[in-house]
PDB file of all heavy atoms in Angstrom:
ATOM      1  N   ALA H   1       2.972  18.297 -11.440  1.00 94.00           N
ATOM      2  CA  ALA H   1       1.574  18.664 -11.176  1.00 94.00           C
ATOM      3  C   ALA H   1       0.708  17.442 -10.864  1.00 94.00           C
ATOM      4  O   ALA H   1      -0.394  17.574 -10.359  1.00 94.00           O
ATOM      5  CB  ALA H   1       1.008  19.404 -12.388  1.00 94.00           C
ATOM      6  N   HIS H   2       1.193  16.246 -11.174  1.00 95.00           N
ATOM      7  CA  HIS H   2       0.376  15.040 -11.023  1.00 95.00           C
ATOM      8  C   HIS H   2       0.412  14.484  -9.592  1.00 95.00           C
ATOM      9  O   HIS H   2       1.428  14.609  -8.911  1.00 95.00           O
ATOM     10  CB  HIS H   2       0.872  13.934 -11.962  1.00 95.00           C
ATOM     11  CG  HIS H   2       0.493  14.163 -13.393  1.00 95.00           C
ATOM     12  ND1 HIS H   2      -0.677  13.713 -13.945  1.00 95.00           N
ATOM     13  CD2 HIS H   2       1.140  14.803 -14.396  1.00 95.00           C
ATOM     14  CE1 HIS H   2      -0.728  14.066 -15.220  1.00 95.00           C
ATOM     15  NE2 HIS H   2       0.362  14.729 -15.524  1.00 95.00           N
ATOM     16  N   THR H   3      -0.683  13.861  -9.180  1.00 96.00           N
ATOM     17  CA  THR H   3      -0.695  13.120  -7.909  1.00 96.00           C
ATOM     18  C   THR H   3      -1.240  11.706  -8.110  1.00 96.00           C
ATOM     19  O   THR H   3      -1.545  11.006  -7.152  1.00 96.00           O
ATOM     20  CB  THR H   3      -1.557  13.831  -6.849  1.00 96.00           C
ATOM     21  OG1 THR H   3      -2.876  14.012  -7.379  1.00 96.00           O
ATOM     22  CG2 THR H   3      -0.973  15.193  -6.462  1.00 96.00           C
ATOM     23  N   SER H   4      -1.384  11.294  -9.366  1.00 97.00           N
ATOM     24  CA  SER H   4      -1.801   9.915  -9.621  1.00 97.00           C
ATOM     25  C   SER H   4      -1.365   9.499 -11.022  1.00 97.00           C
ATOM     26  O   SER H   4      -1.082  10.338 -11.878  1.00 97.00           O
ATOM     27  CB  SER H   4      -3.317   9.744  -9.473  1.00 97.00           C
ATOM     28  OG  SER H   4      -3.979  10.196 -10.630  1.00 97.00           O
ATOM     29  N   LEU H   5      -1.297   8.187 -11.214  1.00 97.00           N
ATOM     30  CA  LEU H   5      -0.886   7.639 -12.508  1.00 97.00           C
ATOM     31  C   LEU H   5      -1.404   6.206 -12.594  1.00 97.00           C
ATOM     32  O   LEU H   5      -1.357   5.472 -11.607  1.00 97.00           O
ATOM     33  CB  LEU H   5       0.645   7.633 -12.604  1.00 97.00           C
ATOM     34  CG  LEU H   5       1.226   7.100 -13.922  1.00 97.00           C
ATOM     35  CD1 LEU H   5       0.978   8.091 -15.051  1.00 97.00           C
ATOM     36  CD2 LEU H   5       2.721   6.856 -13.778  1.00 97.00           C
ATOM     37  N   VAL H   6      -1.893   5.824 -13.772  1.00 96.00           N
ATOM     38  CA  VAL H   6      -2.339   4.446 -13.979  1.00 96.00           C
ATOM     39  C   VAL H   6      -1.219   3.657 -14.658  1.00 96.00           C
ATOM     40  O   VAL H   6      -0.707   4.076 -15.691  1.00 96.00           O
ATOM     41  CB  VAL H   6      -3.615   4.403 -14.844  1.00 96.00           C
ATOM     42  CG1 VAL H   6      -3.996   2.961 -15.164  1.00 96.00           C
ATOM     43  CG2 VAL H   6      -4.765   5.099 -14.131  1.00 96.00           C
ATOM     44  N   LEU H   7      -0.838   2.539 -14.057  1.00 96.00           N
ATOM     45  CA  LEU H   7       0.115   1.621 -14.689  1.00 96.00           C
ATOM     46  C   LEU H   7      -0.681   0.477 -15.296  1.00 96.00           C
ATOM     47  O   LEU H   7      -1.568  -0.082 -14.652  1.00 96.00           O
ATOM     48  CB  LEU H   7       1.102   1.065 -13.653  1.00 96.00           C
ATOM     49  CG  LEU H   7       2.023   2.091 -12.997  1.00 96.00           C
ATOM     50  CD1 LEU H   7       2.999   1.385 -12.070  1.00 96.00           C
ATOM     51  CD2 LEU H   7       2.788   2.888 -14.037  1.00 96.00           C
ATOM     52  N   SER H   8      -0.354   0.117 -16.555  1.00 92.00           N
ATOM     53  CA  SER H   8      -1.091  -0.968 -17.211  1.00 92.00           C
ATOM     54  C   SER H   8      -0.113  -1.913 -17.889  1.00 92.00           C
ATOM     55  O   SER H   8       1.103  -1.735 -17.788  1.00 92.00           O
ATOM     56  CB  SER H   8      -2.091  -0.387 -18.217  1.00 92.00           C
ATOM     57  OG  SER H   8      -1.420   0.471 -19.108  1.00 92.00           O
ATOM     58  N   ASP H   9      -0.640  -2.916 -18.582  1.00 90.00           N
ATOM     59  CA  ASP H   9       0.179  -3.938 -19.261  1.00 90.00           C
ATOM     60  C   ASP H   9       1.086  -4.678 -18.281  1.00 90.00           C
ATOM     61  O   ASP H   9       2.233  -4.996 -18.603  1.00 90.00           O
ATOM     62  CB  ASP H   9       1.052  -3.319 -20.374  1.00 90.00           C
ATOM     63  CG  ASP H   9       0.186  -2.694 -21.457  1.00 90.00           C
ATOM     64  OD1 ASP H   9      -0.893  -3.255 -21.738  1.00 90.00           O
ATOM     65  OD2 ASP H   9       0.573  -1.649 -21.995  1.00 90.00           O
ATOM     66  N   LEU H  10       0.581  -4.931 -17.084  1.00 91.00           N
ATOM     67  CA  LEU H  10       1.371  -5.654 -16.085  1.00 91.00           C
ATOM     68  C   LEU H  10       0.986  -7.124 -16.092  1.00 91.00           C
ATOM     69  O   LEU H  10      -0.047  -7.509 -16.642  1.00 91.00           O
ATOM     70  CB  LEU H  10       1.137  -5.054 -14.697  1.00 91.00           C
ATOM     71  CG  LEU H  10       1.425  -3.551 -14.573  1.00 91.00           C
ATOM     72  CD1 LEU H  10       1.181  -3.089 -13.150  1.00 91.00           C
ATOM     73  CD2 LEU H  10       2.834  -3.219 -15.008  1.00 91.00           C
ATOM     74  N   ALA H  11       1.817  -7.957 -15.471  1.00 89.00           N
ATOM     75  CA  ALA H  11       1.547  -9.391 -15.419  1.00 89.00           C
ATOM     76  C   ALA H  11       0.569  -9.693 -14.284  1.00 89.00           C
ATOM     77  O   ALA H  11       0.640  -9.066 -13.224  1.00 89.00           O
ATOM     78  CB  ALA H  11       2.852 -10.156 -15.198  1.00 89.00           C
ATOM     79  N   PRO H  12      -0.346 -10.667 -14.483  1.00 87.00           N
ATOM     80  CA  PRO H  12      -1.280 -11.015 -13.408  1.00 87.00           C
ATOM     81  C   PRO H  12      -0.574 -11.747 -12.268  1.00 87.00           C
ATOM     82  O   PRO H  12       0.479 -12.350 -12.455  1.00 87.00           O
ATOM     83  CB  PRO H  12      -2.300 -11.929 -14.094  1.00 87.00           C
ATOM     84  CG  PRO H  12      -1.609 -12.451 -15.300  1.00 87.00           C
ATOM     85  CD  PRO H  12      -0.584 -11.429 -15.710  1.00 87.00           C
ATOM     86  N   GLU H  13      -1.164 -11.670 -11.080  1.00 88.00           N
ATOM     87  CA  GLU H  13      -0.680 -12.373  -9.887  1.00 88.00           C
ATOM     88  C   GLU H  13       0.814 -12.145  -9.661  1.00 88.00           C
ATOM     89  O   GLU H  13       1.588 -13.078  -9.451  1.00 88.00           O
ATOM     90  CB  GLU H  13      -0.944 -13.885 -10.006  1.00 88.00           C
ATOM     91  CG  GLU H  13      -2.322 -14.255  -9.539  1.00 88.00           C
ATOM     92  CD  GLU H  13      -2.524 -15.761  -9.446  1.00 88.00           C
ATOM     93  OE1 GLU H  13      -2.586 -16.423 -10.499  1.00 88.00           O
ATOM     94  OE2 GLU H  13      -2.627 -16.268  -8.322  1.00 88.00           O
ATOM     95  N   THR H  14       1.234 -10.879  -9.765  1.00 93.00           N
ATOM     96  CA  THR H  14       2.643 -10.530  -9.628  1.00 93.00           C
ATOM     97  C   THR H  14       2.762  -9.373  -8.640  1.00 93.00           C
ATOM     98  O   THR H  14       1.959  -8.441  -8.681  1.00 93.00           O
ATOM     99  CB  THR H  14       3.224 -10.106 -10.995  1.00 93.00           C
ATOM    100  OG1 THR H  14       3.036 -11.181 -11.918  1.00 93.00           O
ATOM    101  CG2 THR H  14       4.705  -9.775 -10.913  1.00 93.00           C
ATOM    102  N   THR H  15       3.747  -9.458  -7.751  1.00 96.00           N
ATOM    103  CA  THR H  15       3.997  -8.364  -6.820  1.00 96.00           C
ATOM    104  C   THR H  15       5.004  -7.401  -7.455  1.00 96.00           C
ATOM    105  O   THR H  15       6.089  -7.824  -7.866  1.00 96.00           O
ATOM    106  CB  THR H  15       4.545  -8.891  -5.490  1.00 96.00           C
ATOM    107  OG1 THR H  15       3.562  -9.759  -4.914  1.00 96.00           O
ATOM    108  CG2 THR H  15       4.839  -7.754  -4.516  1.00 96.00           C
ATOM    109  N   TYR H  16       4.611  -6.142  -7.542  1.00 97.00           N
ATOM    110  CA  TYR H  16       5.482  -5.099  -8.097  1.00 97.00           C
ATOM    111  C   TYR H  16       6.010  -4.224  -6.970  1.00 97.00           C
ATOM    112  O   TYR H  16       5.268  -3.859  -6.060  1.00 97.00           O
ATOM    113  CB  TYR H  16       4.708  -4.231  -9.103  1.00 97.00           C
ATOM    114  CG  TYR H  16       4.527  -4.918 -10.430  1.00 97.00           C
ATOM    115  CD1 TYR H  16       3.479  -5.805 -10.637  1.00 97.00           C
ATOM    116  CD2 TYR H  16       5.430  -4.704 -11.469  1.00 97.00           C
ATOM    117  CE1 TYR H  16       3.332  -6.468 -11.853  1.00 97.00           C
ATOM    118  CE2 TYR H  16       5.284  -5.354 -12.688  1.00 97.00           C
ATOM    119  CZ  TYR H  16       4.237  -6.233 -12.871  1.00 97.00           C
ATOM    120  OH  TYR H  16       4.096  -6.884 -14.070  1.00 97.00           O
ATOM    121  N   GLU H  17       7.290  -3.902  -7.062  1.00 97.00           N
ATOM    122  CA  GLU H  17       7.877  -2.901  -6.178  1.00 97.00           C
ATOM    123  C   GLU H  17       7.877  -1.582  -6.934  1.00 97.00           C
ATOM    124  O   GLU H  17       8.361  -1.504  -8.066  1.00 97.00           O
ATOM    125  CB  GLU H  17       9.299  -3.304  -5.774  1.00 97.00           C
ATOM    126  CG  GLU H  17       9.298  -4.493  -4.847  1.00 97.00           C
ATOM    127  CD  GLU H  17      10.685  -4.897  -4.377  1.00 97.00           C
ATOM    128  OE1 GLU H  17      11.677  -4.287  -4.827  1.00 97.00           O
ATOM    129  OE2 GLU H  17      10.764  -5.827  -3.565  1.00 97.00           O
ATOM    130  N   VAL H  18       7.331  -0.554  -6.304  1.00 98.00           N
ATOM    131  CA  VAL H  18       7.169   0.736  -6.953  1.00 98.00           C
ATOM    132  C   VAL H  18       7.898   1.786  -6.130  1.00 98.00           C
ATOM    133  O   VAL H  18       7.758   1.824  -4.907  1.00 98.00           O
ATOM    134  CB  VAL H  18       5.672   1.111  -7.052  1.00 98.00           C
ATOM    135  CG1 VAL H  18       5.493   2.436  -7.791  1.00 98.00           C
ATOM    136  CG2 VAL H  18       4.874   0.005  -7.736  1.00 98.00           C
ATOM    137  N   ALA H  19       8.681   2.622  -6.798  1.00 97.00           N
ATOM    138  CA  ALA H  19       9.347   3.739  -6.122  1.00 97.00           C
ATOM    139  C   ALA H  19       9.017   5.035  -6.859  1.00 97.00           C
ATOM    140  O   ALA H  19       9.130   5.105  -8.080  1.00 97.00           O
ATOM    141  CB  ALA H  19      10.859   3.523  -6.095  1.00 97.00           C
ATOM    142  N   LEU H  20       8.590   6.029  -6.096  1.00 97.00           N
ATOM    143  CA  LEU H  20       8.310   7.355  -6.640  1.00 97.00           C
ATOM    144  C   LEU H  20       9.384   8.289  -6.084  1.00 97.00           C
ATOM    145  O   LEU H  20       9.475   8.474  -4.873  1.00 97.00           O
ATOM    146  CB  LEU H  20       6.920   7.817  -6.212  1.00 97.00           C
ATOM    147  CG  LEU H  20       6.475   9.169  -6.771  1.00 97.00           C
ATOM    148  CD1 LEU H  20       6.070   9.035  -8.231  1.00 97.00           C
ATOM    149  CD2 LEU H  20       5.320   9.724  -5.958  1.00 97.00           C
ATOM    150  N   ILE H  21      10.196   8.845  -6.970  1.00 97.00           N
ATOM    151  CA  ILE H  21      11.316   9.691  -6.543  1.00 97.00           C
ATOM    152  C   ILE H  21      11.006  11.134  -6.927  1.00 97.00           C
ATOM    153  O   ILE H  21      10.983  11.475  -8.117  1.00 97.00           O
ATOM    154  CB  ILE H  21      12.629   9.211  -7.199  1.00 97.00           C
ATOM    155  CG1 ILE H  21      12.867   7.744  -6.861  1.00 97.00           C
ATOM    156  CG2 ILE H  21      13.806  10.076  -6.758  1.00 97.00           C
ATOM    157  CD1 ILE H  21      13.606   6.976  -7.923  1.00 97.00           C
ATOM    158  N   PRO H  22      10.726  11.996  -5.927  1.00 96.00           N
ATOM    159  CA  PRO H  22      10.473  13.402  -6.247  1.00 96.00           C
ATOM    160  C   PRO H  22      11.792  14.085  -6.623  1.00 96.00           C
ATOM    161  O   PRO H  22      12.742  14.070  -5.845  1.00 96.00           O
ATOM    162  CB  PRO H  22       9.909  13.981  -4.937  1.00 96.00           C
ATOM    163  CG  PRO H  22       9.515  12.786  -4.110  1.00 96.00           C
ATOM    164  CD  PRO H  22      10.478  11.711  -4.492  1.00 96.00           C
ATOM    165  N   GLU H  23      11.854  14.640  -7.830  1.00 96.00           N
ATOM    166  CA  GLU H  23      13.063  15.316  -8.305  1.00 96.00           C
ATOM    167  C   GLU H  23      12.795  16.821  -8.176  1.00 96.00           C
ATOM    168  O   GLU H  23      12.278  17.442  -9.096  1.00 96.00           O
ATOM    169  CB  GLU H  23      13.346  14.951  -9.773  1.00 96.00           C
ATOM    170  CG  GLU H  23      13.313  13.459 -10.074  1.00 96.00           C
ATOM    171  CD  GLU H  23      14.639  12.763  -9.765  1.00 96.00           C
ATOM    172  OE1 GLU H  23      15.545  13.425  -9.216  1.00 96.00           O
ATOM    173  OE2 GLU H  23      14.754  11.566 -10.089  1.00 96.00           O
ATOM    174  N   SER H  24      13.112  17.366  -6.990  1.00 93.00           N
ATOM    175  CA  SER H  24      12.767  18.757  -6.714  1.00 93.00           C
ATOM    176  C   SER H  24      13.999  19.635  -6.807  1.00 93.00           C
ATOM    177  O   SER H  24      15.075  19.245  -6.382  1.00 93.00           O
ATOM    178  CB  SER H  24      12.171  18.869  -5.306  1.00 93.00           C
ATOM    179  OG  SER H  24      12.059  20.222  -4.927  1.00 93.00           O
ATOM    180  N   ASN H  25      13.806  20.835  -7.339  1.00 86.00           N
ATOM    181  CA  ASN H  25      14.921  21.780  -7.347  1.00 86.00           C
ATOM    182  C   ASN H  25      14.868  22.709  -6.141  1.00 86.00           C
ATOM    183  O   ASN H  25      15.619  23.666  -6.056  1.00 86.00           O
ATOM    184  CB  ASN H  25      14.943  22.591  -8.657  1.00 86.00           C
ATOM    185  CG  ASN H  25      13.588  23.221  -8.938  1.00 86.00           C
ATOM    186  OD1 ASN H  25      12.771  23.377  -8.038  1.00 86.00           O
ATOM    187  ND2 ASN H  25      13.354  23.600 -10.189  1.00 86.00           N
ATOM    188  N   VAL H  26      13.943  22.412  -5.206  1.00 88.00           N
ATOM    189  CA  VAL H  26      13.785  23.264  -4.022  1.00 88.00           C
ATOM    190  C   VAL H  26      14.120  22.508  -2.737  1.00 88.00           C
ATOM    191  O   VAL H  26      14.930  22.944  -1.928  1.00 88.00           O
ATOM    192  CB  VAL H  26      12.348  23.818  -3.935  1.00 88.00           C
ATOM    193  CG1 VAL H  26      12.208  24.771  -2.756  1.00 88.00           C
ATOM    194  CG2 VAL H  26      11.968  24.518  -5.240  1.00 88.00           C
ATOM    195  N   HIS H  27      13.471  21.353  -2.533  1.00 88.00           N
ATOM    196  CA  HIS H  27      13.657  20.572  -1.307  1.00 88.00           C
ATOM    197  C   HIS H  27      14.105  19.173  -1.675  1.00 88.00           C
ATOM    198  O   HIS H  27      13.862  18.701  -2.776  1.00 88.00           O
ATOM    199  CB  HIS H  27      12.336  20.429  -0.523  1.00 88.00           C
ATOM    200  CG  HIS H  27      11.760  21.731  -0.096  1.00 88.00           C
ATOM    201  ND1 HIS H  27      12.282  22.479   0.937  1.00 88.00           N
ATOM    202  CD2 HIS H  27      10.686  22.425  -0.557  1.00 88.00           C
ATOM    203  CE1 HIS H  27      11.550  23.571   1.087  1.00 88.00           C
ATOM    204  NE2 HIS H  27      10.580  23.553   0.186  1.00 88.00           N
ATOM    205  N   TYR H  28      14.702  18.498  -0.680  1.00 92.00           N
ATOM    206  CA  TYR H  28      14.941  17.060  -0.851  1.00 92.00           C
ATOM    207  C   TYR H  28      13.747  16.312  -0.275  1.00 92.00           C
ATOM    208  O   TYR H  28      13.354  16.551   0.867  1.00 92.00           O
ATOM    209  CB  TYR H  28      16.223  16.609  -0.125  1.00 92.00           C
ATOM    210  CG  TYR H  28      16.317  15.097  -0.068  1.00 92.00           C
ATOM    211  CD1 TYR H  28      16.657  14.374  -1.212  1.00 92.00           C
ATOM    212  CD2 TYR H  28      16.012  14.400   1.102  1.00 92.00           C
ATOM    213  CE1 TYR H  28      16.708  12.995  -1.192  1.00 92.00           C
ATOM    214  CE2 TYR H  28      16.055  13.008   1.131  1.00 92.00           C
ATOM    215  CZ  TYR H  28      16.409  12.318  -0.010  1.00 92.00           C
ATOM    216  OH  TYR H  28      16.441  10.948   0.007  1.00 92.00           O
ATOM    217  N   PHE H  29      13.161  15.422  -1.070  1.00 92.00           N
ATOM    218  CA  PHE H  29      12.107  14.543  -0.577  1.00 92.00           C
ATOM    219  C   PHE H  29      12.610  13.113  -0.705  1.00 92.00           C
ATOM    220  O   PHE H  29      13.123  12.737  -1.763  1.00 92.00           O
ATOM    221  CB  PHE H  29      10.831  14.672  -1.409  1.00 92.00           C
ATOM    222  CG  PHE H  29      10.155  16.002  -1.295  1.00 92.00           C
ATOM    223  CD1 PHE H  29      10.274  16.940  -2.304  1.00 92.00           C
ATOM    224  CD2 PHE H  29       9.382  16.305  -0.186  1.00 92.00           C
ATOM    225  CE1 PHE H  29       9.635  18.172  -2.211  1.00 92.00           C
ATOM    226  CE2 PHE H  29       8.749  17.535  -0.086  1.00 92.00           C
ATOM    227  CZ  PHE H  29       8.873  18.474  -1.101  1.00 92.00           C
ATOM    228  N   PRO H  30      12.487  12.297   0.357  1.00 94.00           N
ATOM    229  CA  PRO H  30      12.900  10.894   0.210  1.00 94.00           C
ATOM    230  C   PRO H  30      11.984  10.168  -0.771  1.00 94.00           C
ATOM    231  O   PRO H  30      10.811  10.526  -0.913  1.00 94.00           O
ATOM    232  CB  PRO H  30      12.759  10.327   1.624  1.00 94.00           C
ATOM    233  CG  PRO H  30      11.801  11.224   2.326  1.00 94.00           C
ATOM    234  CD  PRO H  30      11.935  12.584   1.699  1.00 94.00           C
ATOM    235  N   PRO H  31      12.519   9.148  -1.457  1.00 96.00           N
ATOM    236  CA  PRO H  31      11.665   8.351  -2.354  1.00 96.00           C
ATOM    237  C   PRO H  31      10.536   7.690  -1.558  1.00 96.00           C
ATOM    238  O   PRO H  31      10.720   7.304  -0.413  1.00 96.00           O
ATOM    239  CB  PRO H  31      12.618   7.296  -2.910  1.00 96.00           C
ATOM    240  CG  PRO H  31      13.989   7.832  -2.675  1.00 96.00           C
ATOM    241  CD  PRO H  31      13.914   8.688  -1.458  1.00 96.00           C
ATOM    242  N   GLN H  32       9.385   7.602  -2.191  1.00 96.00           N
ATOM    243  CA  GLN H  32       8.241   6.903  -1.601  1.00 96.00           C
ATOM    244  C   GLN H  32       8.172   5.522  -2.267  1.00 96.00           C
ATOM    245  O   GLN H  32       8.282   5.430  -3.488  1.00 96.00           O
ATOM    246  CB  GLN H  32       6.955   7.652  -1.919  1.00 96.00           C
ATOM    247  CG  GLN H  32       6.977   9.105  -1.533  1.00 96.00           C
ATOM    248  CD  GLN H  32       6.043   9.388  -0.375  1.00 96.00           C
ATOM    249  OE1 GLN H  32       5.008   8.758  -0.216  1.00 96.00           O
ATOM    250  NE2 GLN H  32       6.446  10.324   0.460  1.00 96.00           N
ATOM    251  N   THR H  33       8.002   4.480  -1.472  1.00 96.00           N
ATOM    252  CA  THR H  33       7.947   3.136  -2.056  1.00 96.00           C
ATOM    253  C   THR H  33       6.702   2.398  -1.585  1.00 96.00           C
ATOM    254  O   THR H  33       6.164   2.674  -0.508  1.00 96.00           O
ATOM    255  CB  THR H  33       9.189   2.301  -1.673  1.00 96.00           C
ATOM    256  OG1 THR H  33       9.226   2.199  -0.250  1.00 96.00           O
ATOM    257  CG2 THR H  33      10.464   2.937  -2.186  1.00 96.00           C
ATOM    258  N   THR H  34       6.266   1.471  -2.401  1.00 97.00           N
ATOM    259  CA  THR H  34       5.149   0.612  -2.015  1.00 97.00           C
ATOM    260  C   THR H  34       5.260  -0.685  -2.795  1.00 97.00           C
ATOM    261  O   THR H  34       6.000  -0.777  -3.780  1.00 97.00           O
ATOM    262  CB  THR H  34       3.790   1.299  -2.279  1.00 97.00           C
ATOM    263  OG1 THR H  34       2.751   0.500  -1.715  1.00 97.00           O
ATOM    264  CG2 THR H  34       3.512   1.471  -3.771  1.00 97.00           C
ATOM    265  N   LYS H  35       4.535  -1.702  -2.328  1.00 97.00           N
ATOM    266  CA  LYS H  35       4.452  -2.972  -3.059  1.00 97.00           C
ATOM    267  C   LYS H  35       2.992  -3.206  -3.413  1.00 97.00           C
ATOM    268  O   LYS H  35       2.112  -3.004  -2.575  1.00 97.00           O
ATOM    269  CB  LYS H  35       4.939  -4.143  -2.192  1.00 97.00           C
ATOM    270  CG  LYS H  35       6.433  -4.256  -2.116  1.00 97.00           C
ATOM    271  CD  LYS H  35       6.833  -5.522  -1.379  1.00 97.00           C
ATOM    272  CE  LYS H  35       8.349  -5.612  -1.286  1.00 97.00           C
ATOM    273  NZ  LYS H  35       8.768  -6.810  -0.560  1.00 97.00           N
ATOM    274  N   VAL H  36       2.755  -3.627  -4.638  1.00 97.00           N
ATOM    275  CA  VAL H  36       1.388  -3.870  -5.110  1.00 97.00           C
ATOM    276  C   VAL H  36       1.352  -5.226  -5.804  1.00 97.00           C
ATOM    277  O   VAL H  36       2.210  -5.512  -6.639  1.00 97.00           O
ATOM    278  CB  VAL H  36       0.934  -2.785  -6.107  1.00 97.00           C
ATOM    279  CG1 VAL H  36      -0.540  -2.965  -6.446  1.00 97.00           C
ATOM    280  CG2 VAL H  36       1.208  -1.386  -5.573  1.00 97.00           C
TER     281      VAL H  36
END
């Protein structure tokens, strides 16, 4: 049901690789990735 999430307790001045993997029992969705 969610479309957002806050990540905290991270290190300053650091690039994070983030992957969101939809685990669906109906369709296959490719993982979404981003760098922050």
Side-chain angles (χ1 to χ4, degrees):
H2 285 271
T3 56
S4 80
L5 181 71
V6 175
L7 296 184
S8 54
D9 298 325
L10 304 181
E13 274 189 290
T14 302
T15 299
Y16 283 84
E17 290 182 357
V18 183
L20 183 76
I21 304 149
E23 311 276 6
S24 169
N25 52 20
V26 184
H27 300 286
Y28 169 75
F29 293 103
Q32 306 249 328
T33 60
T34 188
K35 281 187 181 179
V36 187

